[in-house]
Amino acid sequence: MKIIITGANGQLGRCLQDVAERYPDYEFKFKSSKELDITSKEQINSLFAHEKFDYCINCAAYTAVDKAETDQENAFLVNAEAVKYLSEACKTENTTLIHISTDFVFDGSKTTPYTEEDVPNPINVYGASKLKGEQYVQNILEHYFIIRTSWVYSEYGHNFVKTMLRLGAEKEELSVVNDQIGAPTYAGDLAEVIMKVISSKATNYGLYHYSNEGAISWYDFAKAIFEIKGMNIEVNPIPSEAYPTPAKRPINSELFKHKIEKIFPKNIKFWMDSLHKCI
């Protein structure tokens, strides 16, 4: 089994490197953005023509949600056009693509968790670019897994947990929005789920939702981070209007995970347990 991972130095890519050590029978090729520019069709085609891969895990993405509002061209280049190039190469070389997408393809107006059958309606450029990438995968490939996830954090890179710990070391009081609801996802758990999909050799291709269990607000998330670290930080709940950002966020982006639980049986960890592990 030969597997290529794009965006290898990102949060999920780094966690996949950790998980890969438990799969000595598989050959992994980890490619950072410097080693493989997925926005270059030539680089992708050249690599796939010279090496045959059973799976491609696309962890590369433009994830600067607010910056994307004024950098639309680059957001769509990385999250959509580059995904098209990867999909075309995977089709030519008979490689199964595992593509990571986002809860931000939804507008957040639903009051219950989003299923794979719900119609996407992104309310920011980032979400729109990720949806376009999904559509390329679905239109080009038959052998693919799209996994939508939410609120990803880890020991690596830039994320909410690390930002809170940094701010908590600098300040005694913070204000965090409490009216946006979703589920944190530990990238280490997501990496394990991806390897479960691959090791099962399943052909149940299509779209899946995955996050850790439980639905909370960013305020709840921040409180839990400081509680686990034993940091005495006063966290004040505020509405989204009190913390305006260039990109609108969905009010509810909780994902319904019954499909992935049924087809790839694996105990989905509660968000607090995974947060403990990460911290």
Side-chain angles (χ1 to χ4, degrees):
M1 185 80 76
K2 199 168 182 179
I3 305 164
I4 180 170
I5 296 91
T6 64
N9 283 348
Q11 290 193 80
L12 182 56
R14 294 283 296 277
C15 286
L16 279 164
Q17 291 184 53
D18 294 339
V19 172
E21 296 174 4
R22 302 206 295 271
Y23 293 85
D25 294 339
Y26 294 176
E27 182 180 346
F28 294 88
K29 291 279 185 178
F30 289 95
K31 296 287 186 180
S32 69
S33 57
K34 290 181 180 178
E35 295 165 321
L36 176 65
D37 177 5
I38 65 166
T39 67
S40 168
K41 189 173 184 176
E42 293 73 22
Q43 284 191 35
I44 290 172
N45 289 346
S46 175
L47 177 64
F48 275 72
H50 285 91
E51 295 191 63
K52 303 301 179 185
F53 302 105
D54 297 288
Y55 286 87
C56 171
I57 307 173
N58 182 32
C59 302
Y62 184 112
T63 57
V65 177
D66 288 320
K67 187 180 176 184
E69 293 297 305
T70 53
D71 193 23
Q72 185 169 338
E73 184 176 347
N74 281 321
F76 272 87
L77 179 62
V78 177
N79 291 341
E81 296 309 308
V83 177
K84 178 184 177 184
Y85 304 153
L86 275 174
S87 298
E88 290 171 342
C90 285
K91 183 174 185 178
T92 300
E93 303 299 336
N94 198 29
T95 301
T96 299
L97 177 63
I98 299 179
H99 177 64
I100 309 303
S101 194
T102 176
D103 56 326
F104 275 31
V105 299
F106 298 113
D107 60 20
S109 61
K110 194 180 178 187
T111 55
T112 54
Y114 281 92
T115 71
E116 291 85 353
E117 287 74 39
D118 284 321
V119 179
N121 182 35
I123 55 175
N124 56 44
V125 170
Y126 167 70
S129 67
K130 292 295 288 183
L131 177 60
K132 186 69 174 175
E134 287 186 10
Q135 292 167 341
Y136 277 135
V137 174
Q138 292 168 320
N139 291 337
I140 294 168
L141 289 169
E142 293 180 8
H143 297 174
Y144 70 86
F145 297 92
I146 296 171
I147 303 177
R148 290 182 183 143
T149 190
S150 60
W151 299 22
V152 177
Y153 70 92
S154 70
E155 304 90 328
Y156 308 110
H158 302 286
N159 57 67
F160 185 78
V161 173
K162 293 179 78 174
T163 297
M164 286 300 104
L165 292 176
R166 176 178 57 80
L167 291 175
E170 299 169 356
K171 303 179 180 183
E172 296 179 352
E173 184 177 352
L174 293 170
S175 296
V176 182
V177 295
N178 71 335
D179 58 356
Q180 294 173 23
I181 305 301
T185 305
Y186 175 44
D189 293 340
L190 178 56
E192 289 185 9
V193 167
I194 291 169
M195 291 311 302
K196 170 92 173 180
V197 171
I198 291 174
S199 61
S200 71
K201 298 187 170 85
T203 55
N204 303 79
Y205 303 116
L207 178 63
Y208 292 85
H209 287 174
Y210 176 81
S211 68
N212 283 124
E213 285 289 5
I216 59 171
S217 71
W218 292 108
Y219 165 78
D220 299 322
F221 198 11
K223 290 272 286 185
I225 292 164
F226 296 132
E227 184 179 312
I228 291 169
K229 282 292 285 185
M231 298 171 71
N232 187 24
I233 308 297
E234 185 173 346
V235 184
N236 302 310
I238 58 170
S240 297
E241 302 86 67
Y243 186 72
T245 55
K248 287 180 67 178
R249 263 71 169 176
I251 291 299
N252 170 47
S253 64
E254 186 184 355
L255 300 173
F256 188 69
K257 300 174 284 288
H258 180 70
K259 181 180 176 182
I260 202 164
E261 286 180 289
K262 181 180 178 182
I263 297 176
F264 303 103
K266 185 175 176 64
N267 181 36
I268 298 180
K269 295 171 185 171
F270 186 60
W271 70 270
M272 180 74 90
D273 296 333
S274 291
L275 180 60
H276 265 282
K277 181 180 178 182
C278 178
I279 289 180

